[in-house]
Amino acid sequence: MKGPISVLWGLRSFCASHGCLACYFGTIPEHREQMPTAPGVLSHLSPNDLTTAEVFAFAKTLAHSPVGRVFLAGGEPLLWKPIIKLIQVLKAGGLEVVVCTSGVALNQPDLREPLVELGVDAVSVSLDSADPAYNDRWRPPRREGDGWEAVVSGISALIQARSCAPRPKVGIYSVITRLNLADVVAVPELAASLGCDYAVPQPIALDSGHKLADTLSLTPEQLPQLRQRFKDLYSANLPITLPSRTYPGQIASAVAQPTGLVPGCFGGNTLFFIEPDGTVWDCPSSLKIAATPPQRQRTIKDAKAQDLFPAPAACAADCSLFSVDCVNMWPLTGFDRILTAAGPEAPDA
């Protein structure tokens, strides 16, 4: 990695792919009735996304900054028309690029093939279950035919297009709720059967007041089963890379205790979050965003990356806002193990 900093960049607000019921952007029907106004609260209907010119002006400055890896997310980044040109700029600047996608667009050769040709480092596909019915219930496609089967087809098409090339690495991210604990194991098994390189089961992160929190959020009651599922996963010796074996313990800690202390937190030191309107946050945590004073709010608009992202401090600041949001960032900060892996997950000594 060229520089020590990773940036999670939500490029665009709109998602023409799926209408995920628990999306961190909220849902379109809800926001048609009332748009959110709090800082950092996202919406697929946001009218404030940066212009294409503003995105590219900033992207060109990343080559001269401590940023070494960019995760391109959204919305659905692959359905933004300039996406391939943006990837060209980032790769020409020596950055590692990870594309986070719903996977449906991978069925389009004009989008899939450039990802291989440009040397994109990884493509992370969202798929919440090995059960098509469950997945499509909670991640309903906006168009008929863009459900589970289309996502799996896109993954397979990308792996075939990659052929024997070392990259992009291809993986599946799955959101784990109290309703699909079996997918802690089942989705990585599916990923392995498709020829993927990695899989990340991540716990759902909903605010306590979210209308689906009582239905989907993990609680201490699920912890014994959750621990067993992860034990089974690591015992399966699948030929893919999984999160570090400390990861299940981090999930359990977040479920058992909603907030806590993170010594030497990576947020605002080696990891940053950019939302579609260009606002820069120390990390995507809703707690951290809410605690950020106005004078600390920054934007990439008319700014240079080297000014926004200084070299990381040797001793990062502690953070008392540990939550399940933080847990979902740990696999991003440990992405080196995915990009450098040459084989199956090695057992811990």
Side-chain angles (χ1 to χ4, degrees):
M1 191 160 105
K2 178 183 72 69
I5 291 176
S6 294
V7 171
L8 175 61
W9 190 353
L11 278 174
R12 314 309 285 172
S13 293
F14 185 62
C15 179
S17 177
H18 292 74
C20 305
L21 301 186
C23 181
Y24 68 104
F25 273 79
T27 67
I28 289 177
E30 289 174 324
H31 293 172
R32 280 181 178 149
E33 293 183 9
Q34 184 175 0
M35 281 286 290
T37 57
V41 179
L42 302 171
S43 172
H44 287 307
L45 299 178
S46 173
N48 301 317
D49 287 12
L50 293 180
T51 66
T52 299
E54 290 168 337
V55 169
F56 276 83
F58 174 74
K60 291 174 182 177
T61 72
L62 284 164
H64 309 290
S65 76
V67 176
R69 182 178 298 141
V70 178
F71 295 86
L72 298 176
E76 173 50 60
L78 289 182
L79 297 183
W80 184 49
K81 289 184 179 180
I83 185 64
I84 299 303
K85 291 183 179 179
L86 177 62
I87 292 172
Q88 287 177 325
V89 168
L90 297 176
K91 292 302 297 180
L95 285 95
E96 292 181 350
V97 175
V98 181
V99 175
C100 308
T101 174
S102 72
V104 174
L106 298 174
N107 290 292
Q108 302 179 33
D110 61 330
L111 290 171
R112 177 179 69 242
E113 292 171 4
L115 299 180
V116 178
E117 294 166 358
L118 292 173
V120 164
D121 296 276
V123 176
S124 296
V125 180
S126 296
L127 190 73
D128 288 350
S129 181
D131 175 8
Y134 177 90
N135 182 81
D136 291 354
R137 176 188 175 191
W138 296 101
R139 296 178 54 81
R142 297 195 188 280
R143 298 189 311 173
E144 186 176 355
D146 282 354
W148 188 94
E149 289 82 2
V151 177
V152 171
S153 172
I155 294 170
S156 297
L158 178 59
I159 291 173
Q160 183 176 3
R162 178 186 66 180
S163 187
C164 297
R167 297 190 181 184
K169 301 283 190 177
V170 182
I172 298 178
Y173 271 70
S174 52
V175 175
I176 301 302
T177 75
R178 69 175 72 177
L179 301 181
N180 71 328
L181 290 171
D183 284 305
V184 169
V185 180
V187 171
E189 287 179 337
L190 172 64
S193 72
L194 293 172
C196 292
D197 304 286
Y198 60 97
V200 180
Q202 58 181 19
I204 193 165
L206 297 175
D207 292 336
S208 58
H210 193 285
K211 67 179 183 180
L212 293 175
D214 291 341
T215 302
L216 299 179
S217 293
L218 297 165
T219 69
E221 184 179 355
Q222 285 88 48
L223 284 180
Q225 188 178 0
L226 187 69
R227 290 190 179 98
Q228 184 61 50
R229 295 293 186 183
F230 272 102
K231 181 179 179 180
D232 294 342
L233 173 60
Y234 286 98
S235 298
N237 292 317
L238 298 173
I240 57 175
T241 300
L242 301 170
S244 167
R245 293 187 182 226
T246 61
Y247 179 66
Q250 293 163 347
I251 296 176
S253 295
V255 171
Q257 185 174 348
T259 59
L261 179 69
V262 181
C265 181
F266 45 72
N269 192 49
T270 58
L271 178 71
F272 293 83
F273 173 54
I274 304 173
E275 63 179 73
D277 69 359
T279 305
V280 180
W281 303 102
D282 285 349
C283 76
S285 164
S286 60
L287 296 178
K288 185 72 170 179
I289 289 174
T292 303
Q295 62 270 24
R296 278 280 298 156
Q297 295 179 17
R298 298 161 293 160
T299 178
I300 67 172
K301 187 175 181 179
D302 300 322
K304 296 180 179 179
Q306 56 265 43
D307 297 328
L308 291 172
F309 309 120
C315 298
D318 296 344
C319 179
S320 61
L321 300 174
F322 172 74
S323 72
V324 72
D325 282 345
C326 308
V327 173
N328 291 334
M329 294 304 105
W330 254 287
L332 298 186
T333 63
F335 215 80
D336 282 348
R337 65 196 314 275
I338 287 174
L339 294 180
T340 59
E345 173 79 10
D348 286 351

